[in-house]
Amino acid sequence: MYYYFCVFQGVIFNVDYNPNLGLICSVSDDRSIRLYSLTFNEATAGASLDSWESVQSELLHVLYGHSARVWDVKLLTDCFVSVGEVGISLA
């Protein structure tokens, strides 16, 4: 384990990382979607597992839009798509 997020009330079901945007997004059974900005200290940011040891994260948003667990998320260029037990959301 190279990086640990300790902010959820339940199990994390999925994580999506977009290295071009420097964003990581996670979804959980607590119905939340959490979007973080990542900053690497090395010039080879994200290129190796070792670069994750010094990464800094900033929580940008905590979103609740699903009425049940959120299973999956995909970060796109200017939005994300999340999939939950009850439906699909585009934000």
Side-chain angles (χ1 to χ4, degrees), residues 46-69:
S48 70
L49 288 177
D50 292 336
S51 67
W52 285 86
E53 290 180 350
S54 61
V55 69
Q56 299 294 314
S57 67
E58 177 184 358
L59 180 61
L60 300 176
H61 299 286
V62 179
L63 306 163
Y64 291 92
H66 289 272
S67 59
R69 292 180 283 201

PDB file of all heavy atoms in Angstrom, residues 46-69:
ATOM      1  N   GLY A  46       4.060   9.989 -10.804  1.00  0.00           N
ATOM      2  CA  GLY A  46       3.159   8.907 -11.122  1.00  0.00           C
ATOM      3  C   GLY A  46       3.734   7.834 -12.006  1.00  0.00           C
ATOM      4  O   GLY A  46       3.078   6.841 -12.278  1.00  0.00           O
ATOM      5  N   ALA A  47       4.978   8.014 -12.466  1.00  0.00           N
ATOM      6  CA  ALA A  47       5.566   7.050 -13.398  1.00  0.00           C
ATOM      7  C   ALA A  47       5.997   5.761 -12.690  1.00  0.00           C
ATOM      8  O   ALA A  47       6.091   4.727 -13.308  1.00  0.00           O
ATOM      9  CB  ALA A  47       6.753   7.670 -14.119  1.00  0.00           C
ATOM     10  N   SER A  48       6.260   5.835 -11.397  1.00  0.00           N
ATOM     11  CA  SER A  48       6.675   4.646 -10.659  1.00  0.00           C
ATOM     12  C   SER A  48       5.913   4.574  -9.340  1.00  0.00           C
ATOM     13  O   SER A  48       5.371   5.567  -8.863  1.00  0.00           O
ATOM     14  CB  SER A  48       8.177   4.694 -10.376  1.00  0.00           C
ATOM     15  OG  SER A  48       8.447   5.701  -9.422  1.00  0.00           O
ATOM     16  N   LEU A  49       5.891   3.402  -8.762  1.00  0.00           N
ATOM     17  CA  LEU A  49       5.234   3.246  -7.470  1.00  0.00           C
ATOM     18  C   LEU A  49       5.913   4.069  -6.386  1.00  0.00           C
ATOM     19  O   LEU A  49       5.262   4.553  -5.468  1.00  0.00           O
ATOM     20  CB  LEU A  49       5.186   1.776  -7.073  1.00  0.00           C
ATOM     21  CG  LEU A  49       4.225   0.904  -7.862  1.00  0.00           C
ATOM     22  CD1 LEU A  49       4.331  -0.549  -7.414  1.00  0.00           C
ATOM     23  CD2 LEU A  49       2.799   1.395  -7.716  1.00  0.00           C
ATOM     24  N   ASP A  50       7.224   4.242  -6.498  1.00  0.00           N
ATOM     25  CA  ASP A  50       7.951   5.026  -5.501  1.00  0.00           C
ATOM     26  C   ASP A  50       7.506   6.478  -5.454  1.00  0.00           C
ATOM     27  O   ASP A  50       7.562   7.115  -4.403  1.00  0.00           O
ATOM     28  CB  ASP A  50       9.458   4.961  -5.763  1.00  0.00           C
ATOM     29  CG  ASP A  50      10.010   3.570  -5.509  1.00  0.00           C
ATOM     30  OD1 ASP A  50       9.386   2.817  -4.729  1.00  0.00           O
ATOM     31  OD2 ASP A  50      11.050   3.247  -6.093  1.00  0.00           O
ATOM     32  N   SER A  51       7.070   7.033  -6.579  1.00  0.00           N
ATOM     33  CA  SER A  51       6.628   8.431  -6.591  1.00  0.00           C
ATOM     34  C   SER A  51       5.375   8.633  -5.739  1.00  0.00           C
ATOM     35  O   SER A  51       5.103   9.741  -5.285  1.00  0.00           O
ATOM     36  CB  SER A  51       6.392   8.915  -8.020  1.00  0.00           C
ATOM     37  OG  SER A  51       5.296   8.250  -8.604  1.00  0.00           O
ATOM     38  N   TRP A  52       4.610   7.559  -5.488  1.00  0.00           N
ATOM     39  CA  TRP A  52       3.402   7.656  -4.657  1.00  0.00           C
ATOM     40  C   TRP A  52       3.727   7.819  -3.184  1.00  0.00           C
ATOM     41  O   TRP A  52       2.872   8.235  -2.402  1.00  0.00           O
ATOM     42  CB  TRP A  52       2.516   6.437  -4.880  1.00  0.00           C
ATOM     43  CG  TRP A  52       1.798   6.510  -6.185  1.00  0.00           C
ATOM     44  CD1 TRP A  52       2.265   6.093  -7.400  1.00  0.00           C
ATOM     45  CD2 TRP A  52       0.510   7.054  -6.430  1.00  0.00           C
ATOM     46  NE1 TRP A  52       1.341   6.344  -8.374  1.00  0.00           N
ATOM     47  CE2 TRP A  52       0.242   6.925  -7.810  1.00  0.00           C
ATOM     48  CE3 TRP A  52      -0.461   7.631  -5.614  1.00  0.00           C
ATOM     49  CZ2 TRP A  52      -0.934   7.365  -8.383  1.00  0.00           C
ATOM     50  CZ3 TRP A  52      -1.635   8.064  -6.186  1.00  0.00           C
ATOM     51  CH2 TRP A  52      -1.867   7.939  -7.558  1.00  0.00           C
ATOM     52  N   GLU A  53       4.960   7.518  -2.771  1.00  0.00           N
ATOM     53  CA  GLU A  53       5.332   7.675  -1.367  1.00  0.00           C
ATOM     54  C   GLU A  53       5.343   9.131  -0.934  1.00  0.00           C
ATOM     55  O   GLU A  53       5.131   9.435   0.232  1.00  0.00           O
ATOM     56  CB  GLU A  53       6.696   7.043  -1.107  1.00  0.00           C
ATOM     57  CG  GLU A  53       6.668   5.534  -1.186  1.00  0.00           C
ATOM     58  CD  GLU A  53       8.026   4.918  -0.919  1.00  0.00           C
ATOM     59  OE1 GLU A  53       9.036   5.661  -0.859  1.00  0.00           O
ATOM     60  OE2 GLU A  53       8.083   3.688  -0.779  1.00  0.00           O
ATOM     61  N   SER A  54       5.578  10.048  -1.854  1.00  0.00           N
ATOM     62  CA  SER A  54       5.676  11.466  -1.501  1.00  0.00           C
ATOM     63  C   SER A  54       4.517  12.302  -2.043  1.00  0.00           C
ATOM     64  O   SER A  54       4.571  13.524  -1.996  1.00  0.00           O
ATOM     65  CB  SER A  54       7.008  12.032  -2.010  1.00  0.00           C
ATOM     66  OG  SER A  54       7.063  11.922  -3.427  1.00  0.00           O
ATOM     67  N   VAL A  55       3.475  11.666  -2.545  1.00  0.00           N
ATOM     68  CA  VAL A  55       2.364  12.404  -3.136  1.00  0.00           C
ATOM     69  C   VAL A  55       1.587  13.169  -2.058  1.00  0.00           C
ATOM     70  O   VAL A  55       1.458  12.717  -0.921  1.00  0.00           O
ATOM     71  CB  VAL A  55       1.413  11.457  -3.921  1.00  0.00           C
ATOM     72  CG1 VAL A  55       0.673  10.530  -2.983  1.00  0.00           C
ATOM     73  CG2 VAL A  55       0.440  12.233  -4.777  1.00  0.00           C
ATOM     74  N   GLN A  56       1.129  14.347  -2.417  1.00  0.00           N
ATOM     75  CA  GLN A  56       0.276  15.161  -1.547  1.00  0.00           C
ATOM     76  C   GLN A  56      -1.119  15.185  -2.163  1.00  0.00           C
ATOM     77  O   GLN A  56      -1.254  15.339  -3.374  1.00  0.00           O
ATOM     78  CB  GLN A  56       0.813  16.593  -1.431  1.00  0.00           C
ATOM     79  CG  GLN A  56       2.201  16.674  -0.835  1.00  0.00           C
ATOM     80  CD  GLN A  56       2.212  16.236   0.613  1.00  0.00           C
ATOM     81  OE1 GLN A  56       1.364  16.651   1.396  1.00  0.00           O
ATOM     82  NE2 GLN A  56       3.162  15.386   0.970  1.00  0.00           N
ATOM     83  N   SER A  57      -2.139  15.047  -1.336  1.00  0.00           N
ATOM     84  CA  SER A  57      -3.507  15.063  -1.844  1.00  0.00           C
ATOM     85  C   SER A  57      -4.300  16.186  -1.196  1.00  0.00           C
ATOM     86  O   SER A  57      -4.049  16.569  -0.058  1.00  0.00           O
ATOM     87  CB  SER A  57      -4.203  13.726  -1.587  1.00  0.00           C
ATOM     88  OG  SER A  57      -4.395  13.537  -0.206  1.00  0.00           O
ATOM     89  N   GLU A  58      -5.246  16.710  -1.955  1.00  0.00           N
ATOM     90  CA  GLU A  58      -6.166  17.724  -1.448  1.00  0.00           C
ATOM     91  C   GLU A  58      -7.576  17.294  -1.833  1.00  0.00           C
ATOM     92  O   GLU A  58      -7.866  17.093  -3.011  1.00  0.00           O
ATOM     93  CB  GLU A  58      -5.861  19.089  -2.054  1.00  0.00           C
ATOM     94  CG  GLU A  58      -6.823  20.159  -1.606  1.00  0.00           C
ATOM     95  CD  GLU A  58      -6.591  21.499  -2.278  1.00  0.00           C
ATOM     96  OE1 GLU A  58      -5.645  21.618  -3.077  1.00  0.00           O
ATOM     97  OE2 GLU A  58      -7.376  22.412  -2.019  1.00  0.00           O
ATOM     98  N   LEU A  59      -8.433  17.157  -0.844  1.00  0.00           N
ATOM     99  CA  LEU A  59      -9.825  16.813  -1.099  1.00  0.00           C
ATOM    100  C   LEU A  59     -10.520  18.020  -1.716  1.00  0.00           C
ATOM    101  O   LEU A  59     -10.586  19.088  -1.104  1.00  0.00           O
ATOM    102  CB  LEU A  59     -10.519  16.394   0.194  1.00  0.00           C
ATOM    103  CG  LEU A  59     -11.986  16.010   0.093  1.00  0.00           C
ATOM    104  CD1 LEU A  59     -12.190  14.820  -0.832  1.00  0.00           C
ATOM    105  CD2 LEU A  59     -12.555  15.732   1.477  1.00  0.00           C
ATOM    106  N   LEU A  60     -11.012  17.862  -2.940  1.00  0.00           N
ATOM    107  CA  LEU A  60     -11.674  18.962  -3.644  1.00  0.00           C
ATOM    108  C   LEU A  60     -13.181  18.965  -3.427  1.00  0.00           C
ATOM    109  O   LEU A  60     -13.778  20.023  -3.233  1.00  0.00           O
ATOM    110  CB  LEU A  60     -11.379  18.876  -5.149  1.00  0.00           C
ATOM    111  CG  LEU A  60      -9.922  18.947  -5.565  1.00  0.00           C
ATOM    112  CD1 LEU A  60      -9.803  18.756  -7.071  1.00  0.00           C
ATOM    113  CD2 LEU A  60      -9.299  20.266  -5.127  1.00  0.00           C
ATOM    114  N   HIS A  61     -13.792  17.776  -3.483  1.00  0.00           N
ATOM    115  CA  HIS A  61     -15.252  17.686  -3.368  1.00  0.00           C
ATOM    116  C   HIS A  61     -15.656  16.362  -2.741  1.00  0.00           C
ATOM    117  O   HIS A  61     -15.043  15.330  -2.998  1.00  0.00           O
ATOM    118  CB  HIS A  61     -15.921  17.772  -4.746  1.00  0.00           C
ATOM    119  CG  HIS A  61     -15.664  19.028  -5.477  1.00  0.00           C
ATOM    120  ND1 HIS A  61     -16.239  20.225  -5.143  1.00  0.00           N
ATOM    121  CD2 HIS A  61     -14.858  19.282  -6.532  1.00  0.00           C
ATOM    122  CE1 HIS A  61     -15.813  21.160  -5.963  1.00  0.00           C
ATOM    123  NE2 HIS A  61     -14.968  20.612  -6.820  1.00  0.00           N
ATOM    124  N   VAL A  62     -16.720  16.409  -1.938  1.00  0.00           N
ATOM    125  CA  VAL A  62     -17.417  15.221  -1.474  1.00  0.00           C
ATOM    126  C   VAL A  62     -18.841  15.363  -1.980  1.00  0.00           C
ATOM    127  O   VAL A  62     -19.526  16.331  -1.651  1.00  0.00           O
ATOM    128  CB  VAL A  62     -17.415  15.093   0.060  1.00  0.00           C
ATOM    129  CG1 VAL A  62     -18.182  13.849   0.490  1.00  0.00           C
ATOM    130  CG2 VAL A  62     -16.000  15.068   0.602  1.00  0.00           C
ATOM    131  N   LEU A  63     -19.265  14.428  -2.802  1.00  0.00           N
ATOM    132  CA  LEU A  63     -20.553  14.539  -3.473  1.00  0.00           C
ATOM    133  C   LEU A  63     -21.465  13.386  -3.079  1.00  0.00           C
ATOM    134  O   LEU A  63     -21.027  12.241  -2.952  1.00  0.00           O
ATOM    135  CB  LEU A  63     -20.345  14.528  -4.991  1.00  0.00           C
ATOM    136  CG  LEU A  63     -19.366  15.584  -5.504  1.00  0.00           C
ATOM    137  CD1 LEU A  63     -18.907  15.244  -6.896  1.00  0.00           C
ATOM    138  CD2 LEU A  63     -20.014  16.947  -5.454  1.00  0.00           C
ATOM    139  N   TYR A  64     -22.734  13.715  -2.889  1.00  0.00           N
ATOM    140  CA  TYR A  64     -23.770  12.718  -2.623  1.00  0.00           C
ATOM    141  C   TYR A  64     -24.893  12.956  -3.619  1.00  0.00           C
ATOM    142  O   TYR A  64     -25.540  13.994  -3.588  1.00  0.00           O
ATOM    143  CB  TYR A  64     -24.316  12.852  -1.201  1.00  0.00           C
ATOM    144  CG  TYR A  64     -23.329  12.468  -0.139  1.00  0.00           C
ATOM    145  CD1 TYR A  64     -22.499  13.424   0.441  1.00  0.00           C
ATOM    146  CD2 TYR A  64     -23.225  11.150   0.276  1.00  0.00           C
ATOM    147  CE1 TYR A  64     -21.583  13.062   1.419  1.00  0.00           C
ATOM    148  CE2 TYR A  64     -22.310  10.787   1.259  1.00  0.00           C
ATOM    149  CZ  TYR A  64     -21.502  11.749   1.834  1.00  0.00           C
ATOM    150  OH  TYR A  64     -20.597  11.401   2.790  1.00  0.00           O
ATOM    151  N   GLY A  65     -25.126  12.016  -4.516  1.00  0.00           N
ATOM    152  CA  GLY A  65     -26.196  12.149  -5.485  1.00  0.00           C
ATOM    153  C   GLY A  65     -26.940  10.848  -5.689  1.00  0.00           C
ATOM    154  O   GLY A  65     -28.048  10.833  -6.201  1.00  0.00           O
ATOM    155  N   HIS A  66     -26.331   9.772  -5.246  1.00  0.00           N
ATOM    156  CA  HIS A  66     -26.956   8.462  -5.368  1.00  0.00           C
ATOM    157  C   HIS A  66     -27.739   8.155  -4.089  1.00  0.00           C
ATOM    158  O   HIS A  66     -27.331   8.532  -2.996  1.00  0.00           O
ATOM    159  CB  HIS A  66     -25.892   7.379  -5.589  1.00  0.00           C
ATOM    160  CG  HIS A  66     -25.248   7.430  -6.931  1.00  0.00           C
ATOM    161  ND1 HIS A  66     -25.763   6.780  -8.027  1.00  0.00           N
ATOM    162  CD2 HIS A  66     -24.125   8.057  -7.365  1.00  0.00           C
ATOM    163  CE1 HIS A  66     -24.984   6.999  -9.075  1.00  0.00           C
ATOM    164  NE2 HIS A  66     -23.978   7.773  -8.708  1.00  0.00           N
ATOM    165  N   SER A  67     -28.837   7.452  -4.248  1.00  0.00           N
ATOM    166  CA  SER A  67     -29.642   7.087  -3.083  1.00  0.00           C
ATOM    167  C   SER A  67     -29.226   5.731  -2.497  1.00  0.00           C
ATOM    168  O   SER A  67     -29.799   5.292  -1.507  1.00  0.00           O
ATOM    169  CB  SER A  67     -31.123   7.066  -3.454  1.00  0.00           C
ATOM    170  OG  SER A  67     -31.352   6.135  -4.493  1.00  0.00           O
ATOM    171  N   ALA A  68     -28.262   5.095  -3.107  1.00  0.00           N
ATOM    172  CA  ALA A  68     -27.742   3.813  -2.621  1.00  0.00           C
ATOM    173  C   ALA A  68     -26.245   3.755  -2.925  1.00  0.00           C
ATOM    174  O   ALA A  68     -25.672   4.730  -3.412  1.00  0.00           O
ATOM    175  CB  ALA A  68     -28.485   2.659  -3.290  1.00  0.00           C
ATOM    176  N   ARG A  69     -25.635   2.622  -2.659  1.00  0.00           N
ATOM    177  CA  ARG A  69     -24.180   2.483  -2.846  1.00  0.00           C
ATOM    178  C   ARG A  69     -23.731   2.860  -4.258  1.00  0.00           C
ATOM    179  O   ARG A  69     -24.445   2.645  -5.224  1.00  0.00           O
ATOM    180  CB  ARG A  69     -23.752   1.056  -2.548  1.00  0.00           C
ATOM    181  CG  ARG A  69     -23.885   0.702  -1.093  1.00  0.00           C
ATOM    182  CD  ARG A  69     -23.467  -0.704  -0.847  1.00  0.00           C
ATOM    183  NE  ARG A  69     -24.535  -1.596  -1.283  1.00  0.00           N
ATOM    184  CZ  ARG A  69     -24.674  -2.846  -0.860  1.00  0.00           C
ATOM    185  NH1 ARG A  69     -23.808  -3.345  -0.005  1.00  0.00           N
ATOM    186  NH2 ARG A  69     -25.663  -3.585  -1.295  1.00  0.00           N
TER     187      ARG A  69
END
